[in-house]
Amino acid sequence: MNSATLRLAASFVVALMAMGTLCAGVMAIAATRYHDERMQRRNASIAMYVEREAVLGSAGQADLTRLRDIAQHAMVVNPLARVYLLDRNGRVIDGGAGNVDLAPLRSWVAGRPGPVYGDDPANPGRQAIFSVHPVGGKPDNGYIYVVLGGRDATSRAVLAAASSPVILAGLLLLFGIMLMAGFLAVVIDRRARKAREQLATLHQLDQERRQLLVSIGHDLRTPLSAACGYLEALDCNGANMSEQQRLDYVRIIAQHVQRLRRLISQVFRLARLESPGMTARRELMSVQDLANDVGARFQQDCTSGAQRVLMDIDATAPLVWADCELVETVLENLLDNAMRHGSSGIATRLSVSQRGAAVLVSVQDSGSGMTLEPAGAVANLSSSRQGLGLVIVRRALGLLGTRLDVDSAAGRGTTVSFRLSVMHP
């Protein structure tokens, strides 16, 4: 795993921790408010009951002695409840000291949904849920104000409510976030790995392109330089040459020009094979018939005393399912390469035979051979001979779904072969 992937993984871990912390905070806030809302709604009538018991007659005034007795009883029943008597301005008349902001109390009396928090006279600066009711039903007479517990009490109560639906939903949300983060990490890691593989492939293709350009340049430069040299010799010394010498020079120049034309044709053929839309047009074909035709053409091109093509063709070999044009291109380039690098006067062998469920086609030259690493035999063969033809062979065989096998050793020549699958009925 490289540094970029490690940084990505670390970022995901930090993001997951941040999301977990945020989720935990949201869960705590939601659980606190859920508990406060339930507690405030359940105890909303306490102040009203206290007010009814403490108010005397029609005067609408609270009996402070009666109020203290009721407050003591309420705190025994509910230790979190503290009862206060407030005047019309929110000043604490009985049960404590200080002032209480009346805005939340009026909001609750008006029917605002909870939880609503008000001042806690016993803990200045802190707020708590409450129950409230106007004395005598008239706010001008003041309020019976019951504090139902501070935030500390709420926090302890929340721990007891850990199995509530809000907590459970929060845990499920956190678990879902963790699963999503893990899934995204796996997806991004796979994308990164695929991108690295594609980058490596592009780098390899770029190197192969560069090598191919060097190979093409070498192949084109050789006949072109030779033809130019003979043309310069004719231009400078043609008048002093015999007729036969001039004819020999013209013949040699024509041979180099012919070779140059063939190489340019090969370049165009490779460009067509490398085009993105190029595919093999498979059909039922006879490899042995095609091999006989191609071998006969090369045999006719041989001059007297030149290298011959020895054909070892199994006439009973079965038909194969392949692209006839691509197979012909492969055979032509393999034979041309073998005859150019073989020993003079020794035949090149072209063989076709059945090997199990495939037809084996091989070309053996009589050159000096070479020592190759098995894993890179084809690549080494191409670079050592600097042949454009072998590049075309590799591409054509790739389109056919097969590969080129190389068997070579110093002093015993080189055999290249490929297999084509038999077409079963």
Side-chain angles (χ1 to χ4, degrees), residues 315-330:
T316 64
L319 301 177
V320 298
W321 186 253
D323 188 315
C324 184
E325 183 179 354
L326 290 178
V327 177
E328 183 177 10
T329 298
V330 171

Side-chain angles (χ1 to χ4, degrees), residues 282 393-405 417-421:
R282 299 180 183 274
V393 167
R394 293 173 61 188
R395 176 57 180 162
L397 290 179
L399 292 172
L400 288 170
T402 185
R403 61 186 179 86
L404 186 68
D405 295 319
S417 60
F418 61 93
R419 296 171 183 266
L420 297 172
S421 299

Side-chain angles (χ1 to χ4, degrees), residues 90-102:
R91 185 173 62 86
V92 179
I93 299 174
D94 191 69
N99 290 278
V100 174
D101 183 9
L102 295 180

Side-chain angles (χ1 to χ4, degrees), residues 344-368:
S344 178
I346 302 178
T348 296
R349 179 182 295 272
L350 172 61
S351 302
V352 176
S353 60
Q354 183 177 1
R355 292 291 189 275
V359 171
L360 176 67
V361 182
S362 63
V363 177
Q364 181 182 6
D365 66 32
S366 55
S368 58

Side-chain angles (χ1 to χ4, degrees), residues 229-243 245-246 249:
Y230 280 101
L231 285 172
E232 290 176 2
L234 279 176
D235 184 49
C236 296
N237 302 318
N240 299 324
M241 292 181 181
S242 65
E243 184 66 22
Q245 285 180 317
R246 286 196 295 270
Y249 273 40

Side-chain angles (χ1 to χ4, degrees), residues 232-276:
E232 290 176 2
L234 279 176
D235 184 49
C236 296
N237 302 318
N240 299 324
M241 292 181 181
S242 65
E243 184 66 22
Q244 185 60 43
Q245 285 180 317
R246 286 196 295 270
L247 290 176
D248 289 340
Y249 273 40
V250 171
R251 179 179 55 81
I252 294 173
I253 292 171
Q255 291 176 350
H256 287 299
V257 171
Q258 181 68 17
R259 182 184 174 191
L260 188 61
R261 185 189 65 81
R262 186 174 66 252
L263 288 173
I264 294 174
S265 176
Q266 290 281 67
V267 171
F268 282 110
R269 178 176 294 182
L270 178 61
R272 188 171 67 88
L273 292 176
E274 292 284 353
S275 61

Side-chain angles (χ1 to χ4, degrees), residues 94-303:
D94 191 69
N99 290 278
V100 174
D101 183 9
L102 295 180
L105 280 62
R106 292 167 179 164
S107 176
W108 175 255
V109 171
R112 174 184 168 184
V116 177
Y117 298 97
D119 295 333
D120 185 355
N123 298 283
R126 304 182 66 179
Q127 291 190 322
I129 54 176
F130 59 85
S131 173
V132 66
H133 195 271
V135 175
K138 299 178 179 180
D140 288 342
N141 295 333
Y143 297 90
I144 299 296
Y145 181 57
V146 181
V147 175
L148 299 175
R151 290 293 180 90
D152 292 339
T154 298
S155 299
R156 290 191 296 270
V158 168
L159 295 177
S163 61
S164 67
V166 175
I167 299 294
L168 180 59
L171 291 175
L172 291 176
L173 176 62
L174 178 60
F175 182 68
I177 292 174
M178 294 176 63
L179 286 180
M180 181 178 67
F183 174 75
L184 289 177
V186 171
V187 171
I188 292 178
D189 181 67
R190 288 181 179 177
R191 294 274 181 91
R193 193 160 55 241
K194 185 177 180 180
R196 290 195 299 270
E197 292 174 354
Q198 291 176 342
L199 185 62
T201 301
L202 289 175
H203 181 66
Q204 181 181 358
L205 289 175
D206 182 65
Q207 289 183 331
E208 291 179 355
R209 295 283 185 183
R210 293 175 183 272
Q211 293 176 355
L212 177 60
L213 289 175
V214 172
S215 177
I216 292 174
H218 178 275
D219 284 345
L220 295 176
R221 185 173 59 249
T222 300
L224 183 60
S225 299
C228 288
Y230 280 101
L231 285 172
E232 290 176 2
L234 279 176
D235 184 49
C236 296
N237 302 318
N240 299 324
M241 292 181 181
S242 65
E243 184 66 22
Q244 185 60 43
Q245 285 180 317
R246 286 196 295 270
L247 290 176
D248 289 340
Y249 273 40
V250 171
R251 179 179 55 81
I252 294 173
I253 292 171
Q255 291 176 350
H256 287 299
V257 171
Q258 181 68 17
R259 182 184 174 191
L260 188 61
R261 185 189 65 81
R262 186 174 66 252
L263 288 173
I264 294 174
S265 176
Q266 290 281 67
V267 171
F268 282 110
R269 178 176 294 182
L270 178 61
R272 188 171 67 88
L273 292 176
E274 292 284 353
S275 61
M278 181 62 185
T279 57
R281 295 176 296 181
R282 299 180 183 274
E283 59 183 348
L284 203 59
M285 59 166 291
S286 171
V287 181
Q288 58 269 36
D289 291 344
L290 180 61
N292 278 316
D293 292 341
V294 175
R297 290 203 304 270
F298 272 84
Q299 182 63 38
Q300 291 174 359
D301 293 339
C302 293
T303 58

